[in-house]
Amino acid sequence: MLKRLEQWQARLADGYLALLMTLFLFWTGTEGYTNLIAPKYRLFCWLCGGYLALSLGLELPVLASRDGRRALLRDFGWPQRLLAAYLLLSALAWACSPYRAESWLGMTRHEGLATILLYGLGCLQLARHGRARPWMAALLGLSGAVFAVLCLLQLTGLNPLGLYPAGMNYGDAYVKYSGAYLGTVGNVDLVAAVLCLAIPLLAGSVCCLRQRWRWLLLLPLALLLAVLLWMNVTAGLVGLAGLLPALAVWRSRGRRRKMILLAMAGACCGLLLALWLVDLPVELWHQGHALLRGQAEDSFGTGRVYIWRQVLARVGRQLWLGSGPDTMAAAQLMPFSRYDAAQQVTRYAQIDVAHNEYLNILFHQGLPALGCYLAMLAMLGWRWLHTRSAAAAILGAGVLCYAVQALFGFSMCPSAPFFWAVLGLLMAALRQPDDETNPQSSPGQTL
């Protein structure tokens, strides 16, 4: 009985992941970029909410048996406990928020407590019942190739799906409309977040899988890299720095892996020292040099330094419980301004997100919630560095690259569900014995 229920749970998890990589990725609603977030968010609520309802319903017979309860406790490792603590602290921040009604769904970003619970509970269920399988890499490659071709066509000035308003294209970004939008995800910062997951997963699949068809994944990998380079979002480019330690995890083990990682750590320290000592006439290098010397200007990072300063100035008033999920708009921070040289006007925008996911958690949910979240990532990262599992090696690279770009990015429903799904699969892969994640497994088995 329990074995059959577990099979159904695995099928549910597979179905949910397949829908995320296909239907959810490509769904844009009927109004294009003028109203893409709302229909995508509704679809996510239906998909994740439906998955949780069915999966938790199947858990009831398991919880009725003693063996089932023991298995549940055994599977609930420290990363899952830290995630559960993060969710509880987020709920406490919502309950104590002066904007509790607005904080349930979120004021401006659909990132209220309800969304956070969907992210976290979905992750926990995937950690218990999800398994990374070779067909997922194949489906990711197929979806990634279609997505990349659409983006590349848009970057050349075309409008193949009519997502831009009539008479507009990608080249009109920041001129005829605010921001820049691409693909079926929308905002280019969110596109960069998705690519920081997809590119490491595809690269890791090429390196770690044994199936011959894995070489076909080089095509979507190259196309997605071309999109990331062409759209030139710095957060995404910086995020791919996570591929360096990933190469050591993919291609080495034991003492050799430790030596490579130590060498990389030494090289990073040397780079930071050079960045602190030498100022070069390269924008990114100069900004890093100024940041290390405490001379950062508000304009650095396309205005992110200004936003961070505004957010940090308010954190002290709500350090322990935050203001409630997705309530930054109520703080009425000084607007962010950007001079539009083409139109010769200064444009102003309300600050409703920190453009740093960790600072965003600190502001909205408080220091204890951020501590649990970072501890969860740190624990998973440590286990990933020592894993012998092919599945964990691949998935951990995606989580690491996303976590790096999150220093400059923000969480929203077009991109965040992919991160939480990969995070859940990583938790599952790290608790599986290495021989159960052998890369020589057949398409119906785990990696």
Side-chain angles (χ1 to χ4, degrees), residues 148-160:
V149 169
L150 172 62
C151 291
L152 291 171
L153 289 174
Q154 290 176 319
L155 286 165
T156 62
L158 299 178
N159 189 13

Side-chain angles (χ1 to χ4, degrees), residues 144-280:
V146 175
F147 181 81
V149 169
L150 172 62
C151 291
L152 291 171
L153 289 174
Q154 290 176 319
L155 286 165
T156 62
L158 299 178
N159 189 13
L161 296 182
L163 297 175
Y164 298 102
M168 298 184 189
N169 57 40
Y170 181 78
D172 296 317
Y174 303 108
V175 179
K176 293 184 178 179
Y177 54 85
S178 177
Y181 301 88
L182 202 60
T184 54
V185 171
N187 188 292
V188 289
D189 291 323
L190 300 179
V191 175
V194 172
L195 296 185
C196 279
L197 281 169
I199 289 172
L201 293 179
L202 290 173
S205 297
V206 172
C207 290
C208 299
L209 295 184
R210 298 290 181 86
Q211 287 81 2
R212 292 181 180 178
W213 54 260
R214 75 186 189 278
W215 299 110
L216 296 175
L217 299 178
L218 288 172
L219 176 60
L221 176 60
L223 291 172
L224 291 173
L225 275 170
V227 172
L228 185 60
L229 292 172
W230 194 339
M231 70 182 192
N232 195 29
V233 175
T234 305
L237 297 173
V238 172
L240 289 190
L243 285 175
L244 293 176
L247 288 172
V249 175
W250 292 340
R251 307 307 300 175
S252 61
R253 290 183 178 180
R255 178 182 291 271
R256 184 183 177 192
R257 179 184 294 182
K258 292 179 181 178
M259 295 301 295
I260 294 174
L261 290 171
L262 285 173
M264 288 183 179
C268 288
C269 291
L271 179 62
L272 286 174
L273 180 62
L275 190 61
W276 183 73
L277 292 173
V278 182
D279 189 7
L280 297 177

